[in-house]
């Protein structure tokens, strides 16, 4: 939100600098994110002086140029070559001297330099109004009043506005500060704590009166829940034209482009008082009637930006007797607005239901100054005051007369909030005791009325416009921010309690596994839990009936909670691949959400994605693709880090994986992983292979608690490796070999590993060759050849007997 300092000082007379004021506003909770300078004329006419043309002669080498001598109040006149057709001796003109910076219409800077034009020296420039930024005319130079003294600075003659503009990072709860008046009200309270008592000056509407009753517009409110208060009046005989400079300067300073005097005044009052207004061309209101109501679903309506929109049945509309004219509190219509031909208007000022306005604005993707305020909650008690303020400005600037009474529909007054403040609770929350008189002074300065005072606390009435102050804690926060967080002393004694937490806390194990995966070259991703309902169509494993749907989705693509981390992860994979990042290692901790018949459930998961090469392209390293077995190694190391080393391996057959397996402990599933089905990848525009692992993190956490880590000393005696080349049937897996080996020798056999697989030439049909290594070790003594041979013979015999294996 932008706040003009010059505008702010219309409410508070202060000689503080913008920087000092900005610091105080930040202390008050209105954080100043920056202060920018504003000049109504860029450059502020610096270097421009008033000169008198002494002589004007034809340029000897150019038909369209004149050689002039100009007195600017210096010792000697300047020779200036000028191409303007209207330059003549005796004129008072603005002169840009050497070194002056001027600006193009696009804002580009250029300097006036001494030079020669067609052989004649030129020591400056006689300016047209567009060259100075004072207008758009370029028909000739500006000719000024003859009474102006030579040498006078142009900035002293022309109406130049110099301002400082605050950029305030306004939090959503501070609806009361969404105007210059609201900001000034806070600033006054802050200054009072600095012992600076200034009067808060509010615009007067005491001169408001009805001139005639020649144009009456009837108002009909069909739903007071959506429009609790609605005011309006008519003004006739006005003239639509450009606004005076002072209004244009105020609006331009805060980034608003002036349009015409009527629209500018409604914008001015909006940013002055925080009350949105809307002006309708009265001649375009059919039946001289305004109806505030909702319309049937799908009704077409064209807004000011010439976009035809389909209305929702809950959108509140401002209509006439025949048609809609405006989306209430959000955006005007293209056929009812003020134009150059408008001579009479209906001026609206209202308080609309904040929830209704917020939903309508979101539905139509509109964010206007009006909706920004209405959806946060404006002051319902200044609706008529702001209307009168705007009406007086319009009559004063655009002419005309107020031609109807103020019609004010406010059947059920929005009540102020009654809050009780305990002094003891204030001391506990603040951390120190603030004098009671100071508390009362602060609350009074914030328009919070003190109804009664006791030894225990205060009975308070909080104005309705402070919809964020409805509890005792909110009042204490108000006291503290005005008193000053910086004024609260820091205790020299620090108390802390040490809690006994388990090493199996979720966040701790997430950090452990996250660090391990990061060390293996993975990057963590964070995906939106909201997704599109269309993803359930990609897999039979998901059910549309299990979608958790959003009541007020931002869009259809974000209308349900995800049932799987697969699709949000594939979105990230696709996004990276499309940007030439083909080698990816990604992981994400997240939740899935399901709507079952017995209620909604959410489950924690860890998802892992692999695609492309294992490592980057290097001259001394062969390129290796990330494959199924690499993913299996990542999964095994993850489970082992959590103390889970023995699990059951089962194949998976579903439409998510073209090949996949599941790891489980008993009936508890730990992880499913495999190669993602090409049909699913195609939906995301991915042509390369992607491996995906889905850890059921809830089950993994539970199992990790039952596995204690045992420590033992490093063995002193060497281990021995022996290898077998086994000829096996195609269907036999390494898991079967590992299981038989470990059952054969439970004590001395430490590890079994598969280091080569061969299929093809010189092998019988339906056979394959596994090269398997066995690590044997006795931790108490050195093994002898006899012991080792005995173990290997037993292994060979069991492989031959149980698997039909042959040694090659």
């Amino acid at each position: 939100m932008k706040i003009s300092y010059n505008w702010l000082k219309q409410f508070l007379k202060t000689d503080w600098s913008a920087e000092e004021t900005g610091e105080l506003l930040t202390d008050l909770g209105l954080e100043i994110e920056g202060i920018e300078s504003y000049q109504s004329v860029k450059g502020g006419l610096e270097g421009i002086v008033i000169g008198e043309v002494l002589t004007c002669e034809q340029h000897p080498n150019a038909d369209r140029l004149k050689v002039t001598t100009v007195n600017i109040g210096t010792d000697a006149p300047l020779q200036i070559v000028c191409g303007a057709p209207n330059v003549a001796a005796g004129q008072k003109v603005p002169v840009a001297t050497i070194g002056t910076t001027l600006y193009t219409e696009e804002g580009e800077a250029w300097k006036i330099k001494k030079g020669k034009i067609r052989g004649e020296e030129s020591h400056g420039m006689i300016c047209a109004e567009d060259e100075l930024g004072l207008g758009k005319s370029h028909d000739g130079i500006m000719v000024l009043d003859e009474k102006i003294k030579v040498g006078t600075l142009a900035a002293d003659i022309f109406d130049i506005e110099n301002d400082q503009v605050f950029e305030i990072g306004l939090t959503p709860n501070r609806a009361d500060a969404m105007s210059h008046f609201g900001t000034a009200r806070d600033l006054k309270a802050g200054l009072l704590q600095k012992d600076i008592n200034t009067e808060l000056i509010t615009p007067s509407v005491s001169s408001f009166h009805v001139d005639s009753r020649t144009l009456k517009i009837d108002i009909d409110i069909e739903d007071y829940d959506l429009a609790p208060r609605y005011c309006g009046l008519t003004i006739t005989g006005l003239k639509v034209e450009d606004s005076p400079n002072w209004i244009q300067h105020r609006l331009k300073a805060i980034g608003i482009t002036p349009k015409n005097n009527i629209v500018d005044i409604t914008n001015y009052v909006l940013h002055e008082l925080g009350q949105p207004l809307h002006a309708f061309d009265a001649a375009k209101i059919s039946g001289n009637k305004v109806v505030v109501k909702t319309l049937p679903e799908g009704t077409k309506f064209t807004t000011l930006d010439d976009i035809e929109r389909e209305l929702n049945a809950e959108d509140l509309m401002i209509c006439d007797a025949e048609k809609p004219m405006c989306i209430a509190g959000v955006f005007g219509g293209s056929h009812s607005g003020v134009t150059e031909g408008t001579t009479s208007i209906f001026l609206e000022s209202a308080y609309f239901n904040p929830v209704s306005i917020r939903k309508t604005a979101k539905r139509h993707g509109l964010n206007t100054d009006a909706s920004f305020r209405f959806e946060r909650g404006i002051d319902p008690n200044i609706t008529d005051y702001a209307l009168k303020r705007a009406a007086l400005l319009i009559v004063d600037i655009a002419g005309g007369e107020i031609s109807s009474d103020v019609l004010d529909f406010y059947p059920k007054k929005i009540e102020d909030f009654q809050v009780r403040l305990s002094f003891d609770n204030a001391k506990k929350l603040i951390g120190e005791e603030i004098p009671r008189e100071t508390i009362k002074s602060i609350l009074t300065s914030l328009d919070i009325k003190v109804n009664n005072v006791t030894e225990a606390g205060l009975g308070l009435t909080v104005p309705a416009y402070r919809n964020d102050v409805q509890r005792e804690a909110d009042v204490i926060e108000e006291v503290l921010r005005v008193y000053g967080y910086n004024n609260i002393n820091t205790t020299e004694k620090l108390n802390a309690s040490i809690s006994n937490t388990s090493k199996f806390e979720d966040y701790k194990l997430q950090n452990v596994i996250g660090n391990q995966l990061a060390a293996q070259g993975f990057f963590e991703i964070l995906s939106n839990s909201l997704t599109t309902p269309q993803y359930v169509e990609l897999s039979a494993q998901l059910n549309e009936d299990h979608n958790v749907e959003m009541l007020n989705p931002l869009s259809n693509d974000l209308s349900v909670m995800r049932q799987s981390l697969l699709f949000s992860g594939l979105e990230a994979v696709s996004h990276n691949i499309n940007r030439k990042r083909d080698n990816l290692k990604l992981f994400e901790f997240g939740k899935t959400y399901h709507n079952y018949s017995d209620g909604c459930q959410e489950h924690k998961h860890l998802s892992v994605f692999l695609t492309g090469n294992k490592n980057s392209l290097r001259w001394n390293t062969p390129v290796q693709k990330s494959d199924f077995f690499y993913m299996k190694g990542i999964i095994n190391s993850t489970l082992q880090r959590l103390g889970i080393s023995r699990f059951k391996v089962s194949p998976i057959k579903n439409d998510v994986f073209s090949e996949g397996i599941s790891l489980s402990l008993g009936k508890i599933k730990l992880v499913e992983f495999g190669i993602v089905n090409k049909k699913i990848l195609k939906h995301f525009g991915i042509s390369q292979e992607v491996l995906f692992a889905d850890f059921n993190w809830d089950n993994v956490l539970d199992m990790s608690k039952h596995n204690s880590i045992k420590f033992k000393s490093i063995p002193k005696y060497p281990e021995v490796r022996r290898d077998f080349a086994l000829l096996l049937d195609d269907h036999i897996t390494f898991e079967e070999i590992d299981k038989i080996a470990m059952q054969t020798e439970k004590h001395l056999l430490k590890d079994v590993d598969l280091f080569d697989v061969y299929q093809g030439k010189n092998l019988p049909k339906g056979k394959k060759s596994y090269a398997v290594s066995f690590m044997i070790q006795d931790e108490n003594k050195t093994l002898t050849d006899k012991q080792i041979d005995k173990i290997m013979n037993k292994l060979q015999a069991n492989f031959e007997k149980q698997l039909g294996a042959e040694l090659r």
Side-chain angles (χ1 to χ4, degrees), residues 423-434 476 480 488-491:
F423 291 130
D424 286 341
N425 289 341
K427 181 180 177 181
K428 289 176 183 177
L429 284 179
I430 293 172
E432 69 178 57
E433 187 170 6
I434 296 177
I476 295 171
L480 181 54
I488 302 299
N489 295 320
T490 303
T491 179

Side-chain angles (χ1 to χ4, degrees), residues 628 649-654 656-663 671-676 691-692:
F628 187 90
V649 180
S650 307
I652 299 176
K653 290 184 179 180
N654 60 35
V656 171
F657 300 109
S658 57
E659 293 181 45
I661 59 175
S662 170
L663 306 183
V671 58
E672 292 182 345
F673 72 96
I675 302 170
V676 180
L691 294 122
F692 168 62

Side-chain angles (χ1 to χ4, degrees), residues 209-373:
H209 65 280
V210 178
D211 298 301
S212 68
R213 292 175 174 81
T214 56
L215 179 59
K216 183 183 178 184
I217 303 287
D218 294 324
I219 299 174
D220 181 14
I221 315 295
E222 292 192 0
D223 191 337
Y224 281 107
D225 289 334
L226 299 182
R229 189 174 189 184
Y230 192 90
C231 302
L233 57 76
T234 62
I235 302 175
T236 58
L238 54 82
K239 184 179 181 181
V240 177
E241 56 188 3
D242 288 341
S243 299
N245 286 337
W246 67 270
I247 281 189
Q248 292 198 36
H249 292 334
R250 290 285 179 263
L251 296 179
K252 286 179 180 177
I254 60 174
I256 296 175
T257 303
K259 293 179 175 62
N260 59 58
N261 49 8
I262 306 302
V263 174
D264 291 349
I265 287 169
T266 60
N267 283 331
Y268 181 87
V269 174
L270 180 148
H271 289 278
E272 179 186 52
L273 302 176
Q275 171 67 55
L277 304 166
H278 193 77
F280 299 89
D281 189 330
K284 299 174 183 177
I285 300 177
S286 300
N288 280 357
K289 186 175 184 180
V290 168
V291 184
V292 183
K293 63 180 181 178
T294 57
L295 294 174
E297 182 84 25
T299 301
K300 306 289 186 182
F301 179 68
T302 303
T303 46
L304 276 171
D305 52 5
D306 290 325
I307 295 176
E308 186 178 72
R309 304 176 189 273
E310 281 195 11
L311 299 179
N312 184 279
E314 296 181 357
D315 292 337
L316 185 65
M317 302 296 295
I318 310 299
C319 309
D320 60 19
E322 299 175 357
K323 61 187 181 300
M325 300 188 295
C326 173
I327 302 177
V330 180
F331 212 28
S334 62
H335 302 301
S336 61
V338 173
T339 64
E340 292 180 358
T342 299
T343 59
S344 59
I345 63 169
F346 172 74
L347 188 62
E348 164 198 278
S349 179
Y351 176 88
F352 296 119
N353 183 293
V355 175
S356 171
I357 299 301
R358 181 166 60 251
K359 288 182 178 180
T360 296
K362 292 293 184 186
R363 266 194 295 267
H364 296 289
L366 294 169
N367 184 21
T368 61
D369 285 337
S371 68
F372 179 80
R373 286 157 177 80

Side-chain angles (χ1 to χ4, degrees), residues 57-63 65-67 81 117-120:
E57 299 177 357
Q58 183 66 44
H59 193 293
N61 302 316
D63 293 338
L65 298 178
K66 303 286 178 63
V67 179
V81 176
I117 302 177
R118 292 290 185 92
E120 295 294 327

Side-chain angles (χ1 to χ4, degrees), residues 129 160 225 395 456:
E129 66 176 37
I160 306 298
D225 289 334
V395 171

